[in-house]
Amino acid sequence: MAAITTERTASAQHVGLRREVTVWGSFTWGYADVGADVYVALGLVMAAAQGATPLAFLIAGIVYIMVGLAYTEMAAAYPVAGGGHYFTLRGLGDFWGLVAGAALMLDYTVDVALFAMASAGYINFFFPQFREFQIRLGPFHGVNLIWLGETLGLILLLALLNIKGIRESSLLNEVLGALDLVMESSIIVIGFAFAWKPELFVHQWQTQFPSLHQLMYAVSIAVISYVGLESVSQAAQETIRPATVIPRTSLALIIIVLLFALSFPTVSLGILPWQDIAAREGDPVARLASQLPAVGFLAGPTAAVLAATIVLISANTGVMGASRLAYSMSELGLIGEGLSHVHPRFHTPVRSILFFAGVAAGEAVFAFLSGPRALETMANMYAFGAMLAYFLSTMALLALRKKEPHVPRPYRVPLNLRWGEMEIPIPGVLGVIGTGLMVLVVLWTHDIARVAGPIWVAVWVLYYAWYRRRTGKPVWGNLPRDWDAQQMRILEETGEWDLLERFRMELERRRRSQGG
């Protein structure tokens, strides 16, 4: 009880996160991350998958559906900052929660660097000389200092925006997200109706099919088109009525994003040779839009502007996610408390925002110094962090179904098999298998990720062991927590009074059953 009292006292001393994200705001947080990803992934995936690019997106999309259903259930049941790391800690324990958090920290910082880089790439649609600029810096060849400078400037802008507060940054997502939905839909509809040539699509499918290694590499890159559901979970602690909002948001995202991700490569291969799209990894969708009949002269520049903005708010989502993740990990005793500090005026975790923006800036510098394919370098790391975190999160779904069957679940993953008192979700099991295989694929096909990814996680594990030992916390064990008391507090804060009453009745029933 002393540990619980201390935890409550500490919580009371912290300034909390504001709960003001609406249904549309929650949707656009996720759409900003996932809907924008096709702008980046299209050229990278097509360079590897060639005529089989739609197949690569489809395989990645099947895994995404399984993961998406798992996240929908857990985010609605546990609407707190932390997302996959919190689910993993609660289901599998502190150590695995740290590993999941480390993977997501990598993912979010790379998200910031990658999408700020991509936003600058679409801006450079209007300035080809900037896109092609390269110089030599000592031992480094083909360095584009102009593009790097643009990227660092955008990262700084996003850090300042997020320090001001989530209401302002969410408003940016909402406006630009609506415009981009219209733009993406228009490109697909006009492309299929007036420019798509089925014979070109079939020819490329039949004659330009990649090797197995190339296809698997492409699938692992295509995964970055489906990562935004984590952002919805990260914003859960700031979402109004999450039990209602999050299932609607997540299920809508699963459907819409899957349709867009499959439509873009399909329409592209019926309009242009795959080499044309692959050669423009910085602005592939703008290149596609410029080839539309009659409206191409206007659609290309318009797509470039909207792509630059929607990709920028995806980077903005990364800043938000990294800072909220650090807040959650600090609150749960996995890392030092410095990053959990919330500014008394802005009600945002200023220190973590600045820290992770700095990490993202360092990653951007590394990517540009590594060679002319800076986007691909970042995409390699992005895939590793996403798949490791998703693997642990789907494992957590099964563990939480067993450990906490009494917690109210406003949404439940469908297709369940009963085993004793536990209901096993078949999509959850398939999600574990799919994400586990994807981790192996990433390690097999990505030279950078197989080295840098495990090193990143290992550094955080060493820090975790040092921090826990220094503060007298168990390194391999778990801190004492009253999850039931915390769940009641969560439901009270969210205003989910019906769920709170159901939870209290279930706890009383369990106490009577155990007492009898």
Side-chain angles (χ1 to χ4, degrees):
M1 288 298 294
I4 299 170
T5 303
T6 302
E7 180 182 339
R8 289 177 177 172
T9 302
S11 299
Q13 293 173 346
H14 284 284
V15 181
L17 298 175
R18 295 181 296 192
R19 196 172 280 280
E20 53 187 15
V21 178
T22 62
V23 175
W24 180 243
S26 178
F27 175 83
T28 48
W29 271 123
Y31 180 76
D33 225 2
V34 216
D37 292 356
V38 70
Y39 286 112
V40 180
L42 183 61
L44 296 173
V45 175
M46 198 162 285
Q50 303 173 14
T53 300
L55 178 61
F57 278 100
L58 176 61
I59 295 172
I62 292 171
V63 176
Y64 158 70
I65 291 172
M66 304 301 124
V67 174
L69 294 175
Y71 263 79
T72 301
E73 175 174 320
M74 292 187 291
Y78 310 104
V80 297
H85 124 79
Y86 179 85
F87 307 146
T88 302
L89 181 144
R90 190 155 175 170
L92 304 179
D94 288 14
F95 175 78
W96 292 112
L98 180 279
V99 173
L104 289 170
M105 282 183 180
L106 174 63
D107 216 27
Y108 278 122
T109 55
V110 171
D111 181 289
V112 177
L114 174 63
F115 290 101
M117 195 183 302
S119 180
Y122 275 99
I123 292 172
N124 291 339
F125 174 84
F126 302 98
F127 309 101
Q129 65 274 24
F130 290 178
R131 184 177 66 241
E132 304 300 331
F133 179 82
Q134 293 184 6
I135 64 170
R136 177 176 177 177
L137 289 177
F140 305 106
H141 301 269
V143 180
N144 191 326
L145 282 182
I146 296 177
W147 198 345
L148 172 60
E150 293 169 325
T151 300
L152 295 179
L154 291 175
I155 291 173
L156 176 61
L157 172 66
L158 294 176
L160 296 176
L161 179 65
N162 276 268
I163 287 172
K164 187 176 181 181
I166 190 161
R167 174 167 50 195
E168 291 75 13
S169 55
S170 184
L171 178 61
L172 174 68
N173 284 10
E174 293 174 23
V175 174
L176 297 180
L179 292 174
D180 189 69
L181 278 168
V182 174
M183 185 67 203
E184 288 194 28
S185 301
S186 299
I187 292 173
I188 291 170
V189 171
I190 295 173
F192 274 120
F194 301 106
W196 196 70
K197 301 173 184 176
E199 63 275 12
L200 177 60
F201 176 84
V202 173
H203 174 74
Q204 296 196 79
W205 176 274
Q206 292 177 337
T207 64
Q208 305 290 318
F209 209 86
S211 66
L212 177 62
H213 185 276
Q214 287 177 298
L215 180 61
M216 289 298 98
Y217 176 83
V219 170
S220 66
I221 293 292
V223 163
I224 73 175
S225 293
Y226 303 108
V227 185
L229 290 174
E230 177 66 34
S231 301
V232 176
S233 301
Q234 290 290 351
Q237 191 162 335
E238 296 156 270
T239 301
I240 301 169
R241 298 303 302 272
T244 301
V245 169
I246 290 176
R248 294 176 181 177
T249 296
S250 298
L251 295 176
L253 275 173
I254 290 172
I255 297 170
I256 292 173
V257 170
L258 187 63
L259 290 175
F260 278 138
L262 295 177
S263 297
F264 266 101
T266 303
V267 73
S268 298
L269 289 174
I271 297 176
L272 291 168
W274 69 265
Q275 293 91 339
D276 283 18
I277 300 294
R280 297 288 289 271
E281 69 171 29
D283 55 359
V285 175
R287 168 63 176 161
L288 170 64
S290 68
Q291 298 303 301
L292 297 178
V295 298
F297 73 98
L298 180 62
T302 303
V305 172
L306 281 177
T309 53
I310 195 68
V311 169
L312 182 61
I313 62 175
S314 183
N316 184 49
T317 305
V319 176
M320 173 267 196
S323 60
R324 271 62 182 183
L325 175 62
Y327 174 89
S328 174
M329 293 178 71
S330 296
E331 292 288 283
L332 292 168
L334 302 184
I335 62 177
E337 296 179 356
L339 292 178
S340 69
H341 175 73
V342 176
H343 194 281
R345 176 184 173 188
F346 298 120
H347 289 255
T348 54
V350 174
R351 294 175 186 172
S352 60
I353 290 172
L354 293 176
F355 174 76
F356 288 110
V359 172
E363 291 169 342
V365 172
F366 167 78
F368 277 100
L369 293 180
S370 66
R373 295 185 64 84
L375 282 168
E376 187 173 7
T377 299
M378 287 290 92
N380 278 311
M381 298 301 300
Y382 197 54
F384 173 83
M387 284 301 99
L388 178 57
Y390 282 175
F391 172 70
L392 292 173
S393 296
T394 50
M395 289 284 291
L397 171 69
L398 304 181
L400 288 168
R401 281 284 191 98
K402 178 176 176 59
K403 292 173 62 176
E404 301 185 3
H406 57 290
V407 170
R409 287 171 168 78
Y411 172 83
R412 295 177 70 86
V413 175
L415 302 177
N416 295 271
L417 290 177
R418 180 167 292 279
W419 183 27
E421 296 184 357
M422 178 183 176
E423 288 188 339
I424 302 176
I426 295 176
V429 175
L430 295 176
V432 171
I433 296 172
T435 53
L437 290 175
M438 288 303 303
V439 171
L440 296 178
V441 167
V442 170
L443 294 176
W444 173 40
T445 60
H446 295 257
D447 294 336
I448 295 176
R450 80 166 62 103
V451 176
I455 288 176
W456 171 278
V457 175
V459 168
W460 278 100
V461 168
L462 291 175
Y463 165 77
Y464 169 79
W466 170 82
Y467 166 72
R468 298 275 282 215
R469 188 176 298 276
R470 183 178 66 85
T471 54
K473 299 181 177 70
V475 175
W476 306 113
N478 302 321
L479 294 176
R481 297 184 178 92
D482 188 339
W483 290 121
D484 288 340
Q486 185 174 130
Q487 189 68 23
M488 283 194 287
R489 186 162 61 250
I490 291 170
L491 295 175
E492 289 174 356
E493 292 173 354
T494 57
E496 300 289 355
W497 306 116
D498 291 341
L499 295 179
L500 177 61
E501 184 61 25
R502 283 170 49 192
F503 186 57
R504 284 174 172 164
M505 292 174 62
E506 182 61 23
L507 288 178
E508 181 62 26
R509 187 193 67 79
R510 288 168 62 87
R511 278 193 291 266
R512 291 177 179 177
S513 176
Q514 292 171 359

